[in-house]
Amino acid sequence: MSFEIIAQAIVSGLMTGLIYALIAAGLSLIFGLMNIVNFAHGEHLMVSMFASFWLWALLGLDPVFSIPITILLMALCGVLTHYFLIRFILKAKMLIQICATFGLSIFIRALAQFLWTPDFRNVDQPLLEGRIEIANVFIGQPQFFASLVCLAAFVMLYLFVTRTETGLALQATAQDREAAEILGIPSNKMFAIGWGIGLGCVGVAGGMMTNYFFIFTDVGVNFALFAFVAVALGGFGSIIGCLYAGIIIGLVESLGGLLIDPSFKLLYVFAIYLLVVIYKPQGLFGRY
Amino acid sequence: METVLDHARQEPVWNTNKKVIVALVALTLGLIVFPLFGPSPFYLHLMILIFMYAVMSQSWNVIAGLSGQISLGHGAFFGIGAYTSSVLYVQYGITPWLGILLGMVFAALVAIAIGIPMLRLSGHYFAIATLLIGISFQVVFQRWEMVGAASGLWIPLTEESSWLALQFHDSKAPYYYIFLAFFAVTYLLVWRLSNSKIGFRLRAVRDDYQAASSLGIDVSRYKIIAYVISAIIMAPMGSLFAQYILIVDPDRMFNLEISILVLLMTVLGGIGNIWGPLVGVAILIPISEYTRIYLGGTGGAVDLIFYGLILMLICVFRPAGLISFLPKHLLEREKHR
């Protein structure tokens, strides 16, 4: 096994890792805010990819240009999710909360399968195509730009949460809902914003992935599983933890696939999850 | 300890009064004589599915309703049971009855292996882990050559119906009675369990784990006990179902839909209530079988749309499930002090 192949695996692991990081950040934001794990996260990703695909197929908009629309659509989707489902189960037992978002995931996936059939689709001749070669390592252009955009979105999300007034209000609500309300921060509005931003992140990742990934109804399942693991590894509710966790998972996935057997990628990620839970259950940057 | 345990003891839903017991005995007798009236094979098949899913949902109810931990990959234990008995029979000629027992042992071992690291922590870790497990098992069995990989194993037909090989070719009635027996025994045992010391402690752990642990209850140990019991209940259904359809393959036995259905039926009927799963199953299985007949196979997505919708509606409007619509006095234990 030559050095080039390993370098290749590391580069592609890094690139997918950044995408996982952004998807996980959306999940982590929602979890940190209201202690609810969105088990429909993968389905939301699938919806964002389909949104981007249909904007291309019906209106001829390249996925790169439709990114703002995809983000807005997903943010709207997040607000609607909060308004129609989540706000009713805020005070319910964790058991019921998990069942509700799990029900949402079944519903969205089945509805998508009903509307769009389980066919695999892809975008023909997107703007971003081809690959670049640097020192014998090939980098796919769409993958490269997808990871760059995700990293940029991640940085913006981080700055938003830590530097802006709304972001600080979000953090205040996450820390102590009642105290924040006394200070005049309406928690319901914050939750809606959290869902909007959380799924907006998914919209960025989904929109960029549409350039090179197959679009089908089960596409979100594995991404969501990796995002769950990333959130646990980074520490539930920690956003910066997601960045490191996403990269670690991306690397383990691609190196494990290269060195052992690519058909068991899910198991390597599962192994990380087990290790985290056994040795560092609070995660790398966890609050718990 | 007193308050937590008293609260658990007074909780009405897991107890049953005398009227209900009389009704249950009558129901059981009715179920025993049912095949003697010569119902068509379809009705026997329907009842078999109801018994099977009633047991499977009860298994999920033990871990979720009794100990408060959500398992999203419970189908894994179904598949373990199915594969254990089938592989032993196909490759070594071991009777499925022994296979059922060994399947329960394997399921219990897997539950312990998963439960020890996962159940120490908050429920989200466990829910995510079980989701991963459900898919991992399918991935592994799809590629495991020894057990037939993706195409699975055919269970060779015996010349004649045989109790030893657990195959009946002339009539579904023996299958009916076997499933009925497992159903009755499971419900009886879970009912006993819920009224035992372990049951009270489990509910104390579910309702307030801090209070429970401050009173000396080993919280994670009891969660693991519930998980193991739940796995042991699930596994034989996989073995029996494999004998019923005489084929095992990863897509059928480790189907994600199994995990979804047991969750849905229990939540629909009433989670944490011993009769909840039965109510959910008695409503959903006939609907799903009849829609299969009249609407035909449509790719399976239409029913899932409704399952997802029902699950969300129940969670929002009636978290205690449909059984909570029943008059309260039916569910309460008689006051005997």
Side-chain angles (χ1 to χ4, degrees):
Chain A
M1 189 158 302
S2 69
F3 170 75
E4 275 90 12
I5 298 177
I6 294 179
Q8 180 81 52
I10 290 176
V11 169
S12 60
L14 271 176
M15 290 192 301
T16 35
L18 288 171
I19 295 171
Y20 294 149
L22 185 64
I23 299 171
L27 191 66
S28 197
L29 182 77
I30 293 167
F31 178 85
L33 197 57
M34 54 184 86
N35 237 1
I36 288 178
V37 173
N38 177 20
F39 278 93
H41 213 61
E43 281 61 37
H44 285 129
L45 179 72
M46 179 267 290
V47 169
S48 76
M49 288 177 74
F50 266 102
S52 179
F53 173 81
W54 288 119
L55 285 170
W56 169 80
L58 300 177
L59 303 177
L61 265 179
D62 191 87
V64 176
F65 297 125
S66 67
I67 283 275
I69 306 176
T70 316
I71 297 174
L72 282 180
L73 280 176
M74 288 317 291
L76 181 69
C77 179
V79 174
L80 291 179
T81 308
H82 174 70
Y83 189 79
F84 284 108
L85 181 65
I86 305 300
R87 76 188 169 109
F88 298 107
I89 55 164
L90 281 174
K91 292 203 175 80
K93 287 186 204 157
M94 188 184 73
L95 197 88
I96 296 298
Q97 293 173 336
I98 293 178
C99 288
T101 57
F102 190 61
L104 180 66
S105 87
I106 300 168
F107 175 73
I108 296 179
R109 207 187 319 164
L111 190 65
Q113 195 176 329
F114 178 73
L115 292 176
W116 302 319
T117 71
D119 290 348
F120 281 52
R121 295 178 167 87
N122 68 317
V123 172
D124 277 338
Q125 295 183 325
L127 200 65
L128 296 174
E129 240 186 341
R131 57 189 189 184
I132 329 162
E133 190 192 336
I134 303 170
N136 285 337
V137 173
F138 291 97
I139 300 172
Q141 272 205 45
Q143 286 90 335
F144 179 66
F145 282 103
S147 54
L148 269 193
V149 169
C150 283
L151 183 62
F154 194 97
V155 172
M156 277 162 62
L157 174 73
Y158 186 71
L159 292 177
F160 169 79
V161 172
T162 51
R163 300 286 152 81
T164 64
E165 199 155 324
T166 320
L168 292 173
L170 279 176
Q171 284 196 38
T173 311
Q175 279 168 10
D176 192 332
R177 203 175 296 175
E178 272 116 38
E181 285 208 330
I182 291 169
L183 296 173
I185 301 171
S187 57
N188 234 332
K189 194 177 149 200
M190 287 298 128
F191 292 156
I193 292 177
W195 273 92
I197 295 173
L199 293 198
C201 294
V202 167
V204 177
M208 289 310 290
M209 271 165 47
T210 312
N211 278 313
Y212 63 93
F213 218 82
F214 282 111
I215 300 130
F216 56 104
T217 49
D218 284 354
V219 66
V221 178
N222 270 7
F223 282 94
L225 286 175
F226 290 0
F228 293 145
V229 175
V231 170
L233 176 58
F236 271 98
S238 157
I239 290 183
I240 196 75
C242 289
L243 182 64
Y244 296 95
I247 291 173
I248 291 174
I249 290 171
L251 287 176
V252 167
E253 187 201 6
S254 75
L255 287 174
L258 174 72
L259 301 174
I260 313 172
D261 182 343
S263 52
F264 294 123
K265 280 178 179 178
L266 188 72
L267 297 189
Y268 313 140
V269 176
F270 188 25
I272 306 182
Y273 185 69
L274 273 175
L275 289 176
V276 173
V277 168
I278 293 169
Y279 293 108
K280 206 160 167 53
Q282 72 278 28
L284 297 174
F285 297 84
R287 299 180 303 175
Y288 302 99
Chain B
M1 178 145 207
E2 285 319 307
T3 53
V4 184
L5 284 187
D6 275 351
H7 175 70
R9 220 172 257 140
Q10 280 161 5
E11 189 178 82
V13 282
W14 280 83
N15 300 317
T16 308
N17 63 22
K18 277 207 183 93
K19 265 186 240 161
V20 174
I21 292 178
V22 171
L24 284 177
V25 172
L27 180 73
T28 316
L29 288 176
L31 288 175
I32 290 173
V33 297
F34 175 67
L36 302 179
F37 292 104
S40 72
F42 170 71
Y43 286 106
L44 280 180
H45 171 72
L46 194 64
M47 292 307 290
I48 287 171
L49 283 187
I50 288 178
F51 294 149
M52 187 177 90
Y53 273 101
V55 174
M56 287 157 66
S57 309
Q58 188 65 272
S59 148
W60 193 79
N61 197 23
V62 169
I63 179 71
L66 203 50
S67 84
Q69 302 296 309
I70 295 275
S71 162
L72 298 176
H74 228 52
F77 298 118
F78 185 82
I80 291 173
Y83 267 94
T84 309
S85 68
S86 308
V87 169
L88 288 178
Y89 180 70
V90 173
Q91 297 184 347
Y92 305 101
I94 296 171
T95 166
W97 293 103
L98 194 61
I100 290 175
L101 279 179
L102 285 172
M104 290 158 87
V105 172
F106 279 133
L109 291 177
V110 171
I112 291 172
I114 300 163
I116 287 176
M118 296 300 165
L119 286 170
R120 293 179 302 151
L121 303 160
S122 98
H124 292 123
Y125 286 94
F126 181 66
I128 293 169
T130 53
L131 197 59
L132 282 163
I133 288 156
I135 297 173
S136 303
F137 265 98
Q138 197 179 28
V139 169
V140 170
F141 275 80
Q142 273 167 350
R143 290 169 179 81
W144 191 358
E145 291 298 333
M146 198 195 114
V147 298
S151 52
L153 294 171
W154 292 87
I155 298 173
L157 291 180
T158 50
E159 291 277 322
E160 282 171 15
S161 299
S162 149
W163 278 90
L164 191 67
L166 232 164
Q167 287 186 23
F168 308 98
H169 307 308
D170 327 313
S171 152
K172 286 182 192 292
Y175 286 117
Y176 174 93
Y177 283 115
I178 292 170
F179 276 102
L180 174 63
F182 270 85
F183 163 71
V185 170
T186 303
Y187 272 64
L188 205 63
L189 287 181
V190 172
W191 182 52
R192 290 298 307 152
L193 172 78
S194 71
N195 285 312
S196 70
K197 235 177 208 169
I198 296 180
F200 292 134
R201 287 185 183 159
L202 280 173
R203 263 171 286 156
V205 167
R206 175 195 67 189
D207 291 339
D208 191 340
Y209 72 93
Q210 280 167 334
S213 95
S214 73
L215 296 165
I217 297 177
D218 186 344
V219 171
S220 49
R221 193 172 132 227
Y222 275 91
K223 286 190 209 162
I224 293 169
I225 290 176
Y227 195 40
V228 170
I229 294 174
S230 169
I232 289 177
I233 296 174
M234 191 71 157
M237 289 302 109
S239 312
L240 289 178
F241 189 61
Q243 290 298 315
Y244 182 55
I245 60 171
L246 296 173
I247 179 175
V248 284
D249 64 59
D251 289 337
R252 215 184 305 245
M253 294 306 173
F254 288 105
N255 198 332
L256 273 185
E257 207 166 312
I258 297 173
S259 310
I260 294 173
L261 276 175
V262 294
L263 180 151
L264 171 66
M265 287 164 176
T266 313
V267 175
L268 177 68
I271 190 169
N273 183 317
I274 188 166
W275 306 118
L278 189 58
V279 171
V281 169
I283 293 170
L284 268 189
I285 288 291
I287 293 178
S288 104
E289 287 300 300
Y290 277 103
T291 48
R292 206 191 300 269
I293 293 169
Y294 292 113
L295 299 178
T298 50
V302 180
D303 47 351
L304 281 174
I305 296 177
F306 285 105
Y307 293 166
L309 202 58
I310 294 170
L311 200 51
M312 287 188 285
L313 289 175
I314 285 281
C315 287
V316 169
F317 293 108
R318 203 79 191 182
L322 292 181
I323 202 157
S324 62
F325 284 109
L326 282 179
K328 241 190 171 156
H329 66 89
L330 277 179
L331 301 170
E332 266 168 15
R333 184 158 61 168
E334 283 160 349
K335 295 207 166 63
H336 53 74
R337 283 169 204 155

